[in-house]
Amino acid sequence: MYGWVVAKNIDISILCESNAKQYFVDGYNIFLNVMNKFEKDTIFRFEEGKICLLDGVILNKKELLDEKQESIWQTLFEKLALQEDFPSVLRGSFNGIIYDRDKNKFTVYTNHVGDRPVYYYFDKDKMLIASNYNYMLKVLKYNNIFLSVNQMAAKYMVTYGYMLEDVTFCKEIHRLLPGTKLNIKGNNVEEYELIRYYQVNNEEDLSITEEQAIELVDQGFRKAVKREFEKDEEYGYKHLVDLSGGLDSRMVSWVANDMGYKDQLNISYCKEGYYDEKISKEIAKYLNHEYMFKYLDDKKFLYDIEEITEKNFCAATYFGITGGNRLLKSLNMGIFGLEHTGQIGDAILSTFYQKKADNFSAPVFGEKVYSCYLKCEFDESILKKYKNKELFAINERGFLGACSSHFIRQNYTEVSSPFLDVDFMDICLSIPFEIRKNHNLYLKWIEKKYPDALQFVWEKTRVKMTNGWRVKSKIKMIGIKIKHIIEKYVMKKQYTDAMNPFEYWYSQDEKIREFLNNYYRENKEYLMKLEENDRNRIQNMFEHSNAIDKMLVLTAIAGVKKIYVK
């Protein structure tokens, strides 16, 4: 378990890890237990009057050094940290703290997409800030500080499957949002301000043509890929690249290979024999990459409720990463650099909505949720922060939901996706909606720049994206629907044609049913911490709904349990 903690007037002596270090600066107690895999990117300076903490990986470090004509990263970083727009110029996955007594500065920051989390607790003269939610809970309990469950967190989990805004399961602990920094004013820890230094913007540049868009996307994507893969090269690491049957991870691996980064291990996991296995295996073979596949039919990851909620800080469903955690456990991570993913590529290069009126209309609650079983009311003020549905979806579902799997991966190595590169995102979201929608731009980019990548089936359509693919896909999907109907009504079994056929596994495996039901019976006492109406509805959801709904409830129970277990 990695992370850092900075505290004032709170005892953190309970924290003890074999390789951890502790520092004391001007009344601030600092605990440091970081992976430091990219040690030339990180900065840890603790001395009288100064705290300079930068954890993670900076993908544009070399660019900044060349631009500013500096040779020493720490020197340049400390200059950048004092600028008003800090840390907007950095690219990568990072977080940290800057404290300068002489300049009356105390800034806590996370990166643009928030996949390197920061949590904070303030009460009168007490302050606790950490990159690890579990450390926060451990310290607050040790200091006998009253903690309570955030009722909204449970409702978010059983509907959306992840936390919205700054909510955690613990009401007293808040999360620093993506692209946000926190400034503490003077010596009073209760006087602080939250500043949004970066926000995604999808204002269209209607002057961009389709041809120009393709060139912009290609240049931007290749730049983002270079930043990531050159970081591996800088440290002498081998490239670890996710690969599935979709387009996103395919294009990360494909474009990197095209740019000369050929020493890749492609990793994949799904139900044995599903499209993701077949397609990823064919692509890896074509590119002459090493390949490792983990089949999920043993379903062992479904037993990992408390391990995953520990690693993802209860920020999202425990079953979302499926086999990823167990696969990473099996690798010798010492030889690999970043884990390169294709996170939220569809949302950035294409669109969440296929109609422009929907995309740019006011956001509403209840769309694109994991479960519609419960109809919950949420704080409407959240919606007012976003100009339209796409921005709400990218920030909440993309950054806070999908990217929470990075927390799990960061137990093994640093992780990055070229689609999350800030400069690339800004390019894509400025392209007119009509060019981006329905994967139009995505597919035309591949067709023009990397046509061989279309010679492999796309899992979403079940056909190769070549001439007549739309018609072929419709015919294929009709066949799949007929098969599904036969399975459901004739063979009386659940749908199996999926990467993770949860309902089928649950219906066929007595041990899985027994485990999930036992976990519920043994831990449902923690639902008593919820208000009666919510508790009754969530209990009803587990007892009368499907397997996915049951696992959402169990994730919520695990989130509440962490607050109250000694």
Side-chain angles (χ1 to χ4, degrees), residues 119 307-318 404 407-408:
Y119 300 92
E307 178 181 347
I308 296 300
T309 51
E310 177 92 356
K311 288 179 176 176
N312 77 358
F313 306 145
C314 308
T317 64
Y318 89 90
S404 64
F407 305 172
I408 302 166

Side-chain angles (χ1 to χ4, degrees), residues 7-32:
K8 190 169 187 178
N9 297 322
I10 292 181
D11 183 0
I12 64 172
S13 61
I14 186 66
L15 299 177
C16 54
E17 305 276 357
S18 57
N19 296 315
K21 297 178 180 178
Q22 281 197 263
Y23 304 88
F24 300 90
V25 176
D26 294 7
Y28 296 104
N29 195 349
I30 302 147
F31 172 84
L32 198 66

Side-chain angles (χ1 to χ4, degrees), residues 137-187:
L137 286 177
K138 193 172 185 177
V139 168
L140 293 174
K141 291 177 188 178
Y142 180 70
N143 283 266
N144 296 315
I145 290 172
F146 175 78
L147 301 178
S148 59
V149 63
N150 191 322
Q151 303 287 327
M152 194 62 71
K155 290 192 280 190
Y156 286 153
M157 185 58 70
V158 298
T159 52
Y160 280 92
Y162 54 85
M163 297 296 99
L164 272 62
E165 289 300 287
D166 68 342
V167 168
T168 73
F169 267 91
C170 181
K171 190 174 183 180
E172 290 71 31
I173 298 174
H174 298 274
R175 178 179 171 183
L176 195 61
L177 287 173
T180 303
K181 60 184 179 182
L182 183 155
N183 286 340
I184 295 176
K185 302 175 182 179
N187 294 318

Side-chain angles (χ1 to χ4, degrees), residues 447-495:
E447 182 180 25
K448 182 174 181 179
K449 298 295 183 177
Y450 314 98
D452 287 351
L454 295 180
Q455 298 303 315
F456 300 89
V457 172
W458 181 15
E459 181 270 344
K460 183 175 182 177
T461 63
R462 311 297 169 86
V463 298
K464 295 179 182 179
M465 307 305 289
T466 50
N467 291 338
W469 71 267
R470 292 185 189 276
V471 174
K472 294 175 185 175
S473 178
K474 286 181 180 178
I475 295 172
K476 189 81 171 181
M477 290 302 180
I478 289 171
I480 290 171
K481 286 181 180 178
I482 293 172
K483 179 187 174 185
H484 180 30
I485 291 170
I486 293 172
E487 285 181 337
K488 184 175 182 180
Y489 295 105
V490 179
M491 301 174 70
K492 304 296 182 183
K493 70 175 187 178
Q494 295 289 339
Y495 189 57

Side-chain angles (χ1 to χ4, degrees), residues 153-162 317 319 369-376 378 503 506 517 520 527 530 532-557:
K155 290 192 280 190
Y156 286 153
M157 185 58 70
V158 298
T159 52
Y160 280 92
Y162 54 85
T317 64
F319 56 90
V369 295
Y370 249 110
S371 173
C372 296
Y373 189 87
L374 295 186
K375 303 297 182 184
C376 298
F378 301 121
E503 304 303 331
Y506 182 81
N517 287 315
Y520 174 72
L527 291 178
L530 302 178
E532 183 178 4
N533 185 50
D534 291 336
R535 177 175 70 249
N536 292 338
R537 295 169 71 213
I538 292 173
Q539 286 177 334
N540 188 64
M541 178 176 176
F542 182 89
E543 293 165 6
H544 298 99
S545 194
N546 59 35
I548 289 179
D549 285 356
K550 291 179 190 298
M551 292 187 291
L552 289 171
V553 171
L554 297 186
T555 308
I557 289 174

Side-chain angles (χ1 to χ4, degrees), residues 244-267:
S244 68
L247 295 183
D248 300 340
S249 60
R250 175 186 313 193
M251 295 316 298
V252 174
S253 185
W254 196 286
V255 173
N257 184 85
D258 184 73
M259 295 175 69
Y261 305 108
K262 299 181 182 295
D263 187 18
Q264 298 184 30
L265 171 64
N266 291 135
I267 57 174

Side-chain angles (χ1 to χ4, degrees), residues 8 54 94 132 174 298 325 334 353 467 490 560:
K8 190 169 187 178
L54 170 66
F94 58 84
N132 187 310
H174 298 274
D298 62 8
N325 179 59
Y353 298 89
N467 291 338
V490 179
V560 177

